[in-house]
Amino acid sequence: MLTRYLFVARVAARRQWFYRRELFWRSISMILFMVVFIALWKTAYQVSGRSELAGYSLAQVIWYLGMAETVMLSTSRSFVEISEAVKSGSVAYELARPLSYPLLQLARSLGNSAPRFLLNLMVALLVVLLGTGQLVGSVPGLLAFLLTAGLALLLDALFAVLIGLLAFWIEEVMPVYLIYQKLLFSIGGLFLPLEIFPLWLQRAAKWLPFQLIAYTPARAYVAFDVGELVRGVMGQLVYIGVLSGVLWLLWRLVQRRLVVHGG
Amino acid sequence: MTIIKVDNLTKTFRTVQKRPGVRGSLRSLFKPEYQAIHAVRGLDFEVATGERLAFIGSNGAGKSTTIKMLVGILHPTGGKAEVLGRVPWRERAPLAYQIGTVFGQKSQLWYHLPAADSFELLARIYALDLEEYRARLHYLVEIFDIAEYLHVPVRKLSLGQRMRCEIAASLLHSPRILFLDEPTIGLDVVVKQRIRDLILELNEREGVTIFLTSHDAGDVEVLCKRAMVINHGEIIYDGKVSDLRRNYLQTKTVSLKLAVPWEGFSAQGVRLLKQRGYGVKLEVDTAQTSIEQVIAQLLARYRIADITVDDPPMEEIIAQIYLAQTPLSEEGGAC
Amino acid sequence: MKIWRLISGYVRHNFMAGMAYRGAFFLQIFGMMINNLMLLFFWNMMFLSFPTLNGWELQDIIVLYSIVAVGFGFSVVIFGNASRLASLITSGELDYYLALPADPLVHLLVSRMSLSGWGDFFFGLLLYLFVLPSAWRNLPLFLLLSLLAGLISTAFAVLTGSLAFWLGESEQLAAQLRMALLNFSLYPVDIFSGGVRLLLYTIIPAAFVGSVPAKLLTDFDIWWLAGLILVTALMGGLASWVFRLGLRRYESGNLVTVRG
């Protein structure tokens, strides 16, 4: 059973490679974001004359942001395809297939993400290394990053499928995705390490799932700590479980709706 | 008076040949190898004002390319053309005020808005005078009998109602030539007839020249007096539709669904094309017998669940013309 | 003039078409406003740690944001099809505009409206009016600067989209360049070093969309304004010229796929 989904993921990954020209342009946005961030933080540290902020040196902040962007730019945005299938009604046909549609979409998302992730990682390493002239991180850090980034991409794929299925109830899901994305940007720690926030906000953010996607892997890379890693992975697994449950419920609702109303 | 004049019009597309592999794509980048596609090879024809002309050809025969050159969207590779006394690709915009286009598959009406709103927008695109536009709209609404749909969003109209609005929209600016591309595609028989009647009426009332492309032999027969057949970028037939009909449109196919088993049927001018279970397809040569007669004979003999009569598909007619025009000697050694 | 009638007609019709699905329309506006608000949150955090960045303070950033939001929103609301130019060219959909007598560039630009652009527009306007002191007095200048910013970003979209005349399928390239312009325009140009800064005044003219108008609003200088107007006019002229140049190539049909 699982092999079929693995196959779906592999096909999606190969398809990405087939469109490598597009993949190449995407990696330009990584360079773009990093050029902006490097300039911004260099100026910030320079002007204020500080050497560290909330425990981060200039190089550490930039490496943190590079790693966070690597995860973010590798997400697969499957909600676009799903919401279109819902609107056109073609999602009804998915019921006739022997595969579960949500699982199929999750497999495809991860397949799409894998080649992008590798490319983004290479580009990020290169740009950040050139920008800071300094190698930050460690081997255990890198391994922890790979583990948590994989879980983070799964978590994001779950969010994307859920947002796509919302198209059954609301006419346009793009705004919902944009808000989700900005939650990742802000309290998810994509633009700033969470430690820079005021304490009350940090505490609130730590309970929410958004920081598990960008902050957890990036933090694991620049400041590897076993205790923190275990807590991060636990958090990711808990939220993956919770969202899977929500998705299961939502899909049952959808199925009933499709069977009763015919799409 | 001549309204369209085409003289040795030619269009050749160049496409880059892709080579396989990484080295191949690199070589293609620096030293591209071109392949020429001769879409249109030396067309010559004239169309008189008020004429109703069918321009027929299979997909890829060069129909669209020719029309695109006639409305000024494409530059030809060689040759001349004059539409309403203007060279289309040099005077595209002034020409556009005087021609109309209807594409059966592509709507110019806003999907979510009532047709009235789209009409108003088209009036602005064609920079129509407000007074004139209102009078014209009133006139068209009456002819096309669309008053009751005018304020209903287009998405709620049936295809036939939409098509009537679509054609009315293309006539708002009183064009002198109307290019119709598959105007009845997807419509049922009754609505098809209605659309054809409307087009004929406009041609008679306003003297609009009709330039039609269609895969529907019925469209061609009813709407046009003259037909031009294009194949591989060349005109292979230019003559009266009545001749075309006599020579190539004389057969019809009758498809039957029987309620009893098939036991054979023979009559003058009737040929069995296909029979499978209770489904039967017959070809009827209307020069030798009439459809009415054949159907009457069939009904006398069988209990019939369903029956349809069709014109032969356009592709078949084209193939026949093509074969008839190719001398046998060439046929063997051409390729 | 007839071109104004065409533009106003399209704006009205696009708006009505959007209103046909009110729910989705308002959701998009609302979503975009929240989206923008959360980006400002980032700056708020940034300035908690660093009160000034090469002379830029939070208030200057708010001015920058409101101008870019109003300008960009205006651009994608009125000229919403600019972002689709490259794909219109490669798919041959340009034919439709060429078969009609109105100016093809203007016509194609105005024939689509980005609904979420209204969200940017109102976000910028509200941000400006309610957060900044003496906003009402400077409102005409603010609107003028936003208009210029919007026109420059439209011209840039036309230029990048027109690349498809020469390069064939290049939607991704055009999209990345447009995103680069928007992204860079949201940061003060003074934080960048020499090379990048030069880039932002030339090839990706983000400085003229964001920092230059923002400076002008807080620190008015008639010569800088004249310069900005000149740049806008130049960009507009260049875009229109390049499009027409490309059109000749399009008309000669090298890139047109053969259909029928």
Side-chain angles (χ1 to χ4, degrees), chain A residues 95 250-262:
Chain A
L95 287 181
L250 201 67
W251 183 243
R252 274 189 51 148
L253 260 170
V254 164
Q255 272 175 312
R256 194 174 315 153
R257 200 184 146 106
L258 282 173
V259 172
V260 176
H261 302 291

Side-chain angles (χ1 to χ4, degrees), chain A residues 21 43 47 50 171 182, chain C residues 21 35 49 54 169 172 191:
Chain A
R21 213 168 100 140
T43 309
V47 170
R50 300 168 88 144
E171 288 164 293
K182 292 305 156 340
Chain C
Y21 292 103
N35 175 64
S49 313
N54 276 6
E169 292 202 15
Q172 273 298 319
I191 63 167

Side-chain angles (χ1 to χ4, degrees), chain B residues 127, chain C residues 1-8:
Chain C
M1 244 171 67
K2 54 188 185 182
I3 201 84
W4 292 113
R5 272 189 65 207
L6 178 75
I7 296 174
S8 64

